[in-house]
Amino acid sequence: MMSAHSLPPGQGQTAALWAGSLLKQYKNTDQPALNNFSLEVRQGEFFGLLGPNGAGKTTVISIFSGLMPPDSGTVRVMDMNFREKHNEIKHILGLAPQEIGLYNKLTASENLAFFGRLFGIKGKKLTERIRQKLEFVSLAEHAARPVSTFSYGMKRRLNLAAGLLNDPQVLVLDEPCVGIDAQSRNLIHEQLKELNRRGTTILYTTHYMEEAQELCSRICIMDNGRLVEQGPPATLLRESGMPNLEDLFLHLTGKELRDP
Amino acid sequence: MLKIITATAKELLLLRRDRAGLLILFLMPAILVVVITLVQENVMELTGQKKTRVVFLDLDQGDLGQILRRQLAKGNLRIEAWDGKQKDMADIREAVQDGDYQVGIVMPQDSSLRFKQEAAQLLQQNNNGETGDKSAGPTLVQVFFDPLLMAGLRAGITAQLQMALATMAMQAKLEALDRVQQEALAALPAGQELLPLARLNLPELVKQPLLSLQENQDFLPSAGTVPHNPVQQNVPAWALFGMFFTAIPIAGALIQERNSGIWVRLRVLPVSPLVLFGGKALAYIVVCLCQFLLIALIGAYLFPYVGLPAFTISMHLPAVLLTVLCSGLAATGYGIFLGLACNSYEQASTVGATTVVTAAAIGGVMVPVYAMPPMMQRLSIISPLNWGLSAFHDLILRGDALPAILDDLGRLLLFFAVTTLLAWKLAGRRHSRF
């Protein structure tokens, strides 16, 4: 297994996402959310970030998305840091938040048009991009329907489409399949694999171990703000002797409940 | 620029889809303006609420001014005396014009001396059986009224002043008469009796004016303005109230964005929160303009049908629109701030409604500021609704032009800037993670 420290950016292939010795502590908390946390997601990887509630996953993807800075440590996205290239990073980064980030009263295409224009896409290019993304998530025939009339699975798919509008090089997905039916989940999985095949780096958080095993080329298990284990799922299972990721996860993070 | 237009278009689209919300935004101030104006129509005209602030400038420095002040102090007036050596007519005109006082009274120079001479001369003429006015005429006491003063209150104060002057004149005539009688009695030989009043025409003597009130016409409402009445007070006041109520739906929209994944998505887009705030502000300023237009049209065309005077806008229409714009900005800035400062829609709607109603109350929307207790009058200057209302009153009632309202507009813009910047700061802290 490799440590993130062993591959700093600039050595070999540029890391898509790189974090070195991150420290983050929220106000009024005893324990740091991230404690000397380091991680590398290589270009073209489908990387799974796993951990129990409160492990620090949300903090990691918030920092990688530029939503908040770490208290200390270094963050790089495609070898750029937020302090110097904030806007450039935002243009190459896509995001599908866990909460549906869409306006219910707008139609599917109006939602995408709004977010697309904020990316600076306009005119025919925008129209084409919207059509393309709606087709990608099998919602083209529902383009003119208000989002409020969508099922949860449709909203999740549209949520993903909104995150793909800028054709991101790095896509951050926060539990994109939570609470949806098998058909929608299957479609999202297939399309994410396709995106990854085309070269998009994906950082994926999930609580579903079978999902991580199916999709991710590498995973990282974190707990209490620290990286506990990382590597390809098959390698981790082989080395640990565990029959599946769920057992490995419980073995590494314990069985006690993580109520906040 | 494209992004701000995009954000504005999105807000307008969302507004268009929220018909219930829109209906409340327009219906609420429309109903309030009709109901409150009808309610206040009689009340405000008939009641002289609280003590009226009067400034008294005694350029004469004689007995007459002191007597008049004593007479007026018996009524519902709070009189402040100005030193005639330090202030002049222009100062009092400015103080009343600016609304610092509702009434200004000026006792002209040498009034006391002239008054006494006139009283003696009048009696002499009367005693000599002369008719017709050969005197220099009554002493004119100048009075200034704030253009915002309600018609009923103005009439009451005028009557009170005239009564005081008539009393003083009668007293002076009777004193002069007494002097003449005493002199006549003293001049008679012992034992001879004379009716000293035999040659006097008393009805004529009483009728002759010695003191008269002259309303200063310098700043009576000019062309394009109309005298103060509940309609002129209520239309801009309730339009402003409606505008500031837009703070609640703005805050609600922001909280909805924050509580869903929209805010997170927007934060990772290459766009500043200030652009998004700008989009919201522009969209809701359009709403504010429509609100003002609706209320103004109701005032102008519906009010006459329900027995109220028609609302008349001043000739300074661009300045009025600029005031609407600045008030709209202040309202949207406050809404954006609320949307970032509050944690839930329930919290924002409670805080928003309470603060807007309170700001409206202390700002003079419900009761004119001059009718409030002194403490509330001092407090009114912190209300953004007071700044907007003051600007509207200056334009619509005082007939002022843009330069006169620049301070109020400046305050409204500063309020917008401060609330938006605070919201921007909060945006950096709030929901900065998934």
Side-chain angles (χ1 to χ4, degrees):
Chain A
M1 272 166 276
M2 281 177 286
S3 154
H5 295 292
S6 62
L7 276 171
Q11 290 182 18
Q13 193 188 27
T14 304
L17 298 168
W18 190 85
S21 307
L22 296 187
L23 185 75
K24 183 75 189 177
Q25 176 135 20
Y26 297 113
K27 281 178 188 168
N28 307 319
T29 55
D30 299 330
Q31 296 292 320
L34 294 180
N35 192 357
N36 197 28
F37 181 85
S38 298
L39 181 74
E40 183 198 45
V41 178
R42 296 168 207 147
Q43 283 185 47
E45 268 193 327
F46 200 130
F47 193 92
L49 187 60
L50 311 178
N53 290 336
K57 303 186 297 295
T58 300
T59 305
V60 170
I61 55 176
S62 295
I63 289 173
F64 273 137
S65 305
L67 288 168
M68 65 160 118
D71 295 341
S72 66
T74 311
V75 181
R76 287 186 171 274
V77 177
M78 299 301 283
D79 212 19
M80 297 182 280
N81 70 49
F82 279 102
R83 237 173 285 161
E84 291 164 6
K85 307 269 185 183
H86 197 87
N87 233 29
E88 287 86 341
I89 293 174
K90 285 183 168 188
H91 275 284
I92 60 161
L93 198 76
L95 168 79
Q98 186 180 343
E99 301 287 340
I100 303 291
L102 302 164
Y103 293 98
N104 270 325
K105 285 176 185 150
L106 301 186
T107 65
S109 59
E110 284 168 349
N111 265 289
L112 296 190
F114 169 63
F115 294 120
R117 284 194 192 103
L118 293 184
F119 270 119
I121 312 165
K122 49 193 169 185
K124 284 181 184 167
K125 191 177 170 189
L126 179 63
T127 312
E128 177 54 23
R129 191 72 66 88
I130 291 168
R131 187 195 59 75
Q132 202 182 71
K133 300 308 167 195
L134 285 174
E135 274 179 8
F136 188 74
V137 293
S138 296
L139 286 172
E141 61 190 282
H142 305 290
R145 270 176 59 186
V147 171
S148 57
T149 65
F150 280 17
S151 70
Y152 193 63
M154 290 164 83
K155 286 181 184 176
R156 279 251 158 254
R157 276 144 54 200
L158 188 61
N159 201 38
L160 173 64
L164 296 171
L165 274 169
N166 57 332
D167 283 337
Q169 294 177 39
V170 181
L171 182 61
V172 177
L173 302 170
D174 191 16
E175 308 242 17
C177 293
V178 70
I180 60 173
D181 61 15
Q183 285 76 14
S184 285
R185 188 162 60 243
N186 179 61
L187 182 115
I188 290 176
H189 285 182
E190 290 308 313
Q191 297 301 58
L192 290 179
K193 284 180 199 167
E194 174 59 25
L195 270 178
N196 187 238
R197 269 195 295 275
R198 288 190 223 156
T200 308
T201 306
I202 298 174
L203 176 63
Y204 193 95
T205 74
T206 181
H207 280 108
Y208 301 125
M209 298 301 148
E210 68 276 20
E211 201 172 68
Q213 199 162 350
E214 178 198 342
L215 296 171
C216 301
S217 51
R218 245 174 14 117
I219 61 164
C220 139
I221 296 172
M222 63 182 300
D223 197 14
N224 296 320
R226 291 173 185 275
L227 193 151
V228 177
E229 193 66 277
Q230 67 170 332
T235 311
L236 292 179
L237 289 176
R238 192 176 59 247
E239 289 183 356
S240 65
M242 294 288 170
N244 54 52
L245 267 187
E246 180 114 4
D247 285 345
L248 175 65
F249 183 83
L250 289 172
H251 172 72
L252 291 171
T253 61
K255 289 185 178 175
E256 67 271 23
L257 294 172
R258 301 303 179 91
D259 298 331
Chain B
M1 195 58 198
L2 177 72
K3 288 180 180 178
I4 203 163
I5 292 168
T6 300
T8 306
K10 181 265 296 178
E11 290 298 332
L12 288 173
L13 203 55
L14 287 173
L15 272 171
R16 210 181 71 192
R17 304 266 160 88
D18 186 10
R19 287 182 189 159
L22 265 185
L23 196 67
I24 291 168
L25 274 179
F26 287 100
L27 208 59
M28 182 265 307
I31 291 170
L32 281 173
V33 73
V34 175
V35 173
I36 301 290
T37 307
L38 282 169
V39 168
Q40 287 186 347
E41 167 68 1
N42 287 329
V43 177
M44 292 187 74
E45 296 220 350
L46 292 177
T47 61
Q49 304 101 320
K50 306 289 171 190
K51 286 201 168 189
T52 307
R53 290 195 314 273
V54 177
V55 60
F56 193 100
L57 179 63
D58 193 355
L59 295 172
D60 174 49
Q61 303 277 318
D63 301 338
L64 209 55
Q66 288 176 20
I67 296 167
L68 180 59
R69 272 171 54 199
R70 274 202 300 272
Q71 288 281 344
L72 292 175
K74 293 173 188 167
N76 202 26
L77 304 174
R78 200 176 77 218
I79 301 167
E80 189 177 317
W82 274 6
D83 189 348
K85 288 172 187 162
Q86 292 177 2
K87 305 272 188 179
D88 59 16
M89 192 89 93
D91 294 324
I92 209 163
R93 183 185 294 117
E94 193 183 335
V96 178
Q97 168 80 357
D98 289 349
D100 298 338
Y101 299 89
Q102 278 88 58
V103 186
I105 299 168
V106 180
M107 186 59 75
Q109 216 164 3
D110 301 327
S111 296
S112 297
L113 182 65
R114 195 170 155 217
F115 176 70
K116 280 173 191 163
Q117 287 171 348
E118 282 294 313
Q121 192 181 345
L122 191 67
L123 194 75
Q124 190 62 49
Q125 284 171 4
N126 192 285
N127 200 25
N128 294 342
E130 296 170 19
T131 55
D133 190 6
K134 292 180 181 173
S135 70
T139 301
L140 293 175
V141 177
Q142 301 277 329
V143 62
F144 299 82
F145 283 109
D146 180 358
L148 263 66
L149 203 63
M150 289 285 180
L153 193 51
R154 186 191 188 111
I157 292 167
T158 305
Q160 196 176 344
L161 267 167
Q162 281 168 340
M163 179 65 79
L165 295 180
T167 306
M168 288 163 67
M170 182 56 73
Q171 205 169 349
K173 286 172 192 172
L174 289 174
E175 281 171 5
L177 186 63
D178 187 53
R179 271 199 307 276
V180 169
Q181 189 174 354
Q182 293 302 327
E183 284 168 13
L185 281 171
L188 277 177
Q192 192 177 341
E193 285 191 14
L194 179 78
L195 286 174
L197 303 179
R199 285 186 291 166
L200 280 177
N201 181 352
L202 283 175
E204 184 66 26
L205 181 66
V206 169
K207 209 169 66 182
Q208 292 286 332
L210 271 180
L211 282 168
S212 188
L213 201 61
Q214 186 184 45
E215 186 171 340
N216 197 293
Q217 305 286 315
D218 284 3
F219 53 85
L220 279 180
S222 54
T225 65
V226 291
H228 190 51
N229 60 46
V231 170
Q232 297 300 115
Q233 153 79 17
N234 282 329
V235 168
W238 290 103
L240 260 177
F241 184 69
M243 281 185 228
F244 272 82
F245 241 83
T246 56
I248 296 169
I250 295 171
L254 258 169
I255 287 168
Q256 200 180 8
E257 285 180 351
R258 277 175 43 205
N259 291 345
S260 67
I262 295 171
W263 186 246
V264 168
R265 188 186 294 292
L266 291 172
R267 293 288 319 279
V268 298
L269 291 177
V271 59
S272 160
L274 285 178
V275 171
L276 301 170
F277 295 163
K280 279 199 193 303
L282 277 177
Y284 278 90
I285 280 167
V286 173
V287 173
C288 289
L289 278 167
C290 293
Q291 274 182 327
F292 185 82
L293 193 66
L294 173 75
I295 304 291
L297 289 174
I298 287 174
Y301 296 106
L302 178 69
F303 279 10
Y305 287 105
V306 291
L308 292 167
F311 174 65
T312 314
I313 213 157
S314 78
M315 67 179 92
H316 307 292
L317 192 59
V320 170
L321 290 176
L322 194 63
T323 306
V324 175
L325 186 75
C326 292
S327 304
L329 276 172
T332 53
Y334 183 56
I336 291 165
F337 169 73
L338 270 184
L340 268 299
C342 295
N343 290 319
S344 66
Y345 180 71
E346 290 74 19
Q347 199 181 58
S349 57
T350 308
V351 173
T354 310
T355 49
V356 170
V357 170
T358 307
I362 64 172
V365 168
M366 292 156 189
V367 175
V369 172
Y370 68 76
M372 295 178 188
M375 192 197 77
M376 293 303 288
Q377 288 183 17
R378 284 193 293 275
L379 206 60
S380 71
I381 58 162
I382 63 164
S383 166
L385 277 93
N386 177 257
W387 309 332
L389 195 56
S390 166
F392 277 129
H393 281 166
D394 285 349
L395 295 171
I396 294 170
L397 295 166
R398 298 185 203 279
D400 287 341
L402 185 62
I405 59 163
L406 285 178
D407 54 343
D408 286 321
L409 299 190
R411 284 187 199 109
L412 287 166
L413 289 176
L414 186 67
F415 183 78
F416 169 69
V418 169
T419 48
T420 308
L421 282 174
L422 282 174
W424 185 47
K425 281 279 165 202
L426 284 170
R429 290 188 202 166
R430 283 203 172 266
H431 282 246
S432 54
R433 59 193 189 120
F434 292 85

